[in-house]
């Protein structure tokens, strides 16, 4: 049986909440690395309209595609609100980057019935696969 990380890696449509145009930040690096590994990666950031000629969404609800995995690259306060959006959008998997969660966020994720991963980094995982 697959573990949650393997299950998430098999999913091809990801949303990166906290994408940024700052190439030194993980919000950019993760979005870019997902694309390099042939994932469909949607960026979510209310302060950006586009990044590298791709539409960036102001919130998860604006994405018209069905998202398989939501990658959190925001602080816990923002993550709390995004969890409700994820649930409403039918997203079942949440990959929390380090610093994007606390006990309260994890508890809410459980209450919403979402599968999640903490203590890992998708960027590092994908780099190891290269």
């Amino acid at each position: 049986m697959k573990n949650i990380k393997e299950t998430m890696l098999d999913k091809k449509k990801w949303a990166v909440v906290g994408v940024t145009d700052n190439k030194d930040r993980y919000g950019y690096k993760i979005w870019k690395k997902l694309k390099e590994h042939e994932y469909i990666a949607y960026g979510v950031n209310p302060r950006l309209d586009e990044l590298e000629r791709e539409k960036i969404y102001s919130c998860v609800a604006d994405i018209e595609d069905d998202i398989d995995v939501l990658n959190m690259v925001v602080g816990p306060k923002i993550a709390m609100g995004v969890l409700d959006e994820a649930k409403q959008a039918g997203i079942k998997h949440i990959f929390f980057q380090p610093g994007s969660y606390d006990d309260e966020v994890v508890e809410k994720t459980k209450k919403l019935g979402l599968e999640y991963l903490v203590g890992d980094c998708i960027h590092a995982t994908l780099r190891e696969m290269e």
Side-chain angles (χ1 to χ4, degrees):
M1 187 167 165
K2 289 184 183 179
N3 66 32
I4 187 65
K5 184 175 181 179
E6 291 169 336
T7 298
M8 288 184 188
L9 287 170
D10 284 347
K11 307 290 183 184
K12 289 299 175 187
K13 295 179 186 176
W14 287 57
V16 179
V17 176
V19 72
T20 178
D21 55 1
N22 182 338
K23 294 180 180 180
D24 295 327
R25 309 276 317 229
Y26 278 100
Y28 175 83
K29 292 178 181 182
I30 289 167
W31 177 77
K32 194 72 171 174
K33 187 65 68 180
L34 284 164
K35 291 178 166 301
E36 289 170 6
H37 283 262
E38 299 183 3
Y39 288 88
I40 297 168
Y42 295 97
V44 179
N45 184 331
R47 294 187 196 127
L48 293 176
D49 292 325
E50 68 175 47
L51 179 59
E52 296 182 3
R53 289 184 234 131
E54 289 193 33
K55 179 176 175 57
I56 299 301
Y57 297 86
S58 61
C59 65
V60 173
D62 289 347
I63 301 171
E64 295 167 0
D65 203 352
D66 293 329
I67 302 300
D68 299 315
V69 181
L70 190 144
N71 186 265
M72 290 279 195
V73 195
V74 292
K77 279 185 178 179
I78 296 170
M80 284 294 279
V82 174
L83 287 172
D84 292 321
E85 287 184 54
K87 179 72 175 178
Q88 288 178 321
I91 299 169
K92 295 178 174 62
H93 301 92
I94 312 291
F95 195 120
F96 289 103
Q97 291 299 130
S100 67
Y101 62 93
D102 57 19
D103 292 342
E104 194 177 354
V105 169
V106 170
E107 195 57 39
K108 182 172 182 175
T109 306
K110 289 178 188 175
K111 283 182 181 170
L112 290 172
L114 303 172
E115 293 191 41
Y116 66 96
L117 183 63
V118 296
D120 209 329
C121 174
I122 190 62
H123 186 266
T125 297
L126 293 175
R127 271 199 359 244
E128 289 168 8
M129 296 169 64
E130 294 175 348

